[in-house]
Amino acid sequence: MSAPVSELTTRARDVFRVVVEQYLDSGAPVGSRTISKLSGLNLSPASIRNVMQDLEEAGLLSHPHTSAGRMPTESGLRLFVDGMMQAAEPSPQERAVIEGRLTASAPVEEALAAASAALSGLSACAGLVLVPPRETRVRQFAFVPLARGQALAVLVGDDGSVENRVIAVADTLTGSALSEASNYMSARLSGLTLTEAQVRIAGELRTERAALDVASQDLIERGLAIWSQDGAARPVLIVRGAANLIDDTAMTDLDRVRQLLDEIEGKEAIAGLLGSAHDASAAKVFIGAENKLFALSGSSVIAAPYHGRDGRVVGVVGVIGPTRLNYARVVPMVDFTAQTLTKIWRD
């Protein structure tokens, strides 16, 4: 267990901050001579070495045997993130990229994939979006005629989400039949889950309480079946940008990168990790072996929940990368992406 920030002297805090910031910037252990050349500390290399030794004994720094410099331990990174980091708000350009990729008019899957892709591109990590398994409650159904033999099935969820699917219909199906099916489904199924809607429709058709012609009945049954099957098949976790994890520095530690890529393939385990950020009020940071999943690869995850119109959590968005992340930049970026997704779901 590392010492809390309050137990560090001012000199120790200053040296520790410089070591961490320099390490996160370069990825290399930081030596006393490098620190002494930085303005503001006014310490000799010998004094700095003594402070770094104390920080190492406190469990905050480690001393790789191949280098004269030191680097933060995972406990040191945790101390820095929780008690010393000065987060930088996303720049106007970064905000524009995130907001530009996420549009309220896009289908749900596209918005979520865009969120993970935007985070991946800006953070140089792998972007993650978790959609907790849950059944959408229906607010409105609509069938819109397209080309001959095709219609657009539209589902509006109670959380404000809008999803579209193109379905094949009989060439002879009229616009009035599409309208009749749309009105019937919206009136009779609003507020139900897809499973509940299927049960109700099946019961009403069986008892002939549904005053619909055969064509409309078939359209309703097939429309519900499409949405139910699609919901069951939808991936729980969307990952974009895993290739970002293989950079020039990664080539010196291929075993770690290989382990990390294997961990990302285990989507169920990562989904469980992201799920633990479900009730967080802001971005949550998991550093290295703090989570058993990343004990071998030494990776970090930053994740934040996003919410629907009723305030309930809809999912979790985040990034995964090496522990040497620019936490001060990426944490606010993940928070902003979650806030943007929340805004989309509520509009």
Side-chain angles (χ1 to χ4, degrees):
M1 187 73 177
S2 60
V5 173
S6 60
E7 293 184 9
L8 298 180
T9 65
T10 300
R11 175 180 291 187
R13 283 198 300 270
D14 290 343
V15 171
F16 177 68
R17 182 192 297 278
V18 173
V19 172
V20 174
E21 291 176 345
Q22 288 294 307
Y23 170 74
L24 294 180
D25 183 59
S26 67
V30 183
S32 57
R33 189 170 299 278
T34 298
I35 297 175
S36 68
K37 292 179 181 178
L38 298 174
S39 61
L41 292 183
N42 296 319
L43 295 174
S44 67
S47 296
I48 292 172
R49 281 194 294 273
N50 289 334
V51 174
M52 293 171 75
Q53 179 63 39
D54 292 340
L55 290 169
E56 184 174 351
E57 292 174 358
L60 298 176
L61 298 181
S62 64
H63 189 178
H65 66 278
T66 57
S67 169
R70 286 176 174 81
M71 56 192 287
T73 62
E74 290 181 358
S75 295
L77 288 174
R78 169 55 62 191
L79 180 73
F80 175 78
V81 168
D82 290 347
M84 302 180 70
M85 182 179 74
Q86 296 179 340
E89 289 299 315
S91 68
Q93 294 80 8
E94 290 168 342
R95 288 171 180 259
V97 169
I98 294 170
E99 291 176 330
R101 296 290 294 270
L102 307 181
T103 59
S105 59
V108 171
E109 299 92 331
E110 291 183 17
L112 295 176
S116 59
L119 276 177
S120 172
L122 290 171
S123 67
C125 299
L128 310 170
V129 173
L130 173 66
V131 185
R134 68 181 186 90
E135 284 199 278
T136 299
R137 287 194 175 273
V138 177
R139 179 187 300 171
Q140 184 178 359
F141 276 104
F143 292 104
V144 181
L146 294 177
R148 184 178 179 83
Q150 286 187 329
L152 185 68
V154 182
L155 169 64
V156 181
D158 67 339
D159 59 359
S161 60
V162 180
E163 300 187 43
N164 306 313
R165 294 291 180 276
V166 176
I167 63 173
V169 298
D171 292 347
T172 56
L173 194 66
T174 64
S176 61
L178 291 172
S179 296
E180 182 181 18
S182 299
N183 294 335
Y184 182 87
M185 294 176 76
S186 294
R188 299 291 299 148
L189 306 180
S190 180
L192 302 180
T193 66
L194 289 171
T195 299
E196 293 167 344
Q198 284 185 303
V199 172
R200 173 172 289 186
I201 287 295
E204 294 193 355
L205 294 180
R206 186 170 56 251
T207 58
E208 299 182 349
R209 282 186 291 165
L212 297 166
D213 60 30
V214 174
S216 295
Q217 290 182 20
D218 176 66
L219 184 62
I220 290 173
E221 289 181 310
R222 289 196 300 114
L224 283 173
I226 287 174
W227 289 118
S228 297
Q229 292 168 4
D230 179 74
R234 182 183 302 159
V236 171
L237 182 69
I238 300 174
V239 181
R240 292 290 185 275
N244 284 339
L245 303 174
I246 307 175
D247 56 14
D248 293 339
T249 60
M251 301 311 292
T252 63
D253 196 359
L254 290 178
D255 288 340
R256 184 194 65 79
V257 174
R258 188 178 297 111
Q259 179 67 36
L260 175 55
L261 293 176
D262 287 343
E263 289 162 351
I264 290 178
E265 287 299 313
K267 291 188 175 183
E268 183 176 345
I270 293 184
L273 172 62
L274 293 185
S276 63
H278 187 276
D279 297 323
S281 59
K284 192 170 182 179
V285 181
F286 304 89
I287 300 176
E290 290 179 348
N291 186 277
K292 293 181 180 179
L293 178 62
F294 301 119
L296 295 179
S297 68
S299 307
S300 287
V301 172
I302 301 170
Y306 55 98
H307 303 80
R309 180 169 296 171
D310 57 3
R312 291 181 301 175
V313 172
V314 178
V316 179
V317 63
V319 299
I320 180 173
T323 54
R324 188 183 68 80
L325 282 175
N326 187 339
Y327 296 94
R329 174 174 173 263
V330 178
V331 169
M333 191 183 298
V334 170
D335 261 333
F336 181 74
T337 304
Q339 293 163 10
T340 304
L341 283 172
T342 295
K343 182 179 179 181
I344 289 174
W345 253 257
R346 290 180 175 176
D347 287 347

